[in-house]
Structure formats: C-alpha cells, structure tokens
Amino acid sequence: MTVIDIFLIILILSASTLSVFAIVYLKKFSEHVEAMRKDLNKLVERTTPVLENLESVTRRASRVAGEVENYWDEIDSSIKKIRERISGLTSLKKNADVEYPAKDLIKNIKALSKGVSAFWTAFKLR
C-alpha cells in the first residue's frame, strides 16, 4: 500500500464520518424545528381567544364611547341653554340700567344726605 492509498482510505473514512454527523445534525435540527412549530401552534391557539376577547372589548368600548358622545351632546346643549338664559338675564339688567340713567345720581345724593345727618348727629352729641 502506498501513501496515496492510505490517504484515500482516510479521506473516505472522514467523508463517511462527516456524512453520518451531517445526518445526525440534520435530524436534531428537524426535531428542533418541529418543536418550534408545535410551540408556535400552541401560541397561536392561546392568542386566538385573547384576540377574540380584545375584539369584543373593542366593540364594547366603541359602544360606550358612542353613548358618552350622546350624553356629552346633551350636556353641551344644556350648557348652551343655560348660557343663553344667563345672557338674557344680563341683557335685562343692562336694559334696566338704561331705563334709569339717574339711578346712580340718586344713590349718591342719598348717601350724601345720610353722611351729613350722621355728621350733625355726632356733632350735636359733643
């Protein structure tokens, strides 16, 4: 046997060993892929009910938001009505002031007379 024959035998043995290791490695790899596929299936099965619950919660929240919008519209219209009534009252007050332009003058004269009478009363007591 020559050196080339020995190297050829070693090469054939190493190729055979490499192919056996490749087969074993591919088998383990396929087992890991299968386990991951099963885990993904379990994950999908678990998330499907969660998504369905989320969908029902979203529908309920949308319904509640619609009802709140209706209530808000009612409250807004009530506030507008109250503002209109208050603005009507303030406009009446302004009209009353216009009707009696001498009202402030009369008040001032009354206050002046009360002040003078209080002064004379205090002056007489001394």
Side-chain angles (χ1 to χ4, degrees):
M1 273 183 111
T2 65
V3 176
I4 293 180
D5 290 334
I6 295 174
F7 282 140
L8 187 60
I9 292 173
I10 293 173
L11 182 64
I12 291 173
L13 288 175
S14 63
S16 300
T17 308
L18 181 64
S19 64
V20 168
F21 281 127
I23 290 171
V24 170
Y25 179 75
L26 286 175
K27 183 173 182 194
K28 286 183 181 180
F29 183 74
S30 66
E31 288 173 357
H32 286 292
V33 168
E34 184 65 27
M36 193 162 61
R37 188 188 62 79
K38 287 180 183 178
D39 289 342
L40 284 174
N41 283 339
K42 286 180 185 178
L43 181 67
V44 167
E45 289 173 3
R46 288 182 183 171
T47 56
T48 301
V50 172
L51 291 175
E52 290 171 357
N53 289 338
L54 183 64
E55 183 181 349
S56 67
V57 167
T58 304
R59 273 189 268 123
R60 290 178 187 164
S62 175
R63 188 179 72 232
V64 167
E67 291 175 4
V68 167
E69 277 186 26
N70 292 337
Y71 290 133
W72 182 255
D73 291 339
E74 291 175 13
I75 291 171
D76 191 37
S77 65
S78 298
I79 290 172
K80 286 180 182 177
K81 288 177 185 176
I82 290 172
R83 283 183 184 168
E84 290 173 2
R85 289 181 184 170
I86 290 174
S87 68
L89 292 176
T90 57
S91 67
L92 288 177
K93 185 177 178 183
K94 289 178 183 176
N95 289 339
D97 288 343
V98 170
E99 290 177 12
Y100 303 108
K103 183 178 178 181
D104 291 332
L105 179 64
I106 294 170
K107 282 184 182 179
N108 289 337
I109 292 172
K110 284 183 183 179
L112 185 62
S113 67
K114 285 182 184 179
V116 169
S117 67
F119 172 74
W120 278 112
T121 306
F123 187 71
K124 287 181 186 179
L125 291 177
R126 285 191 172 199

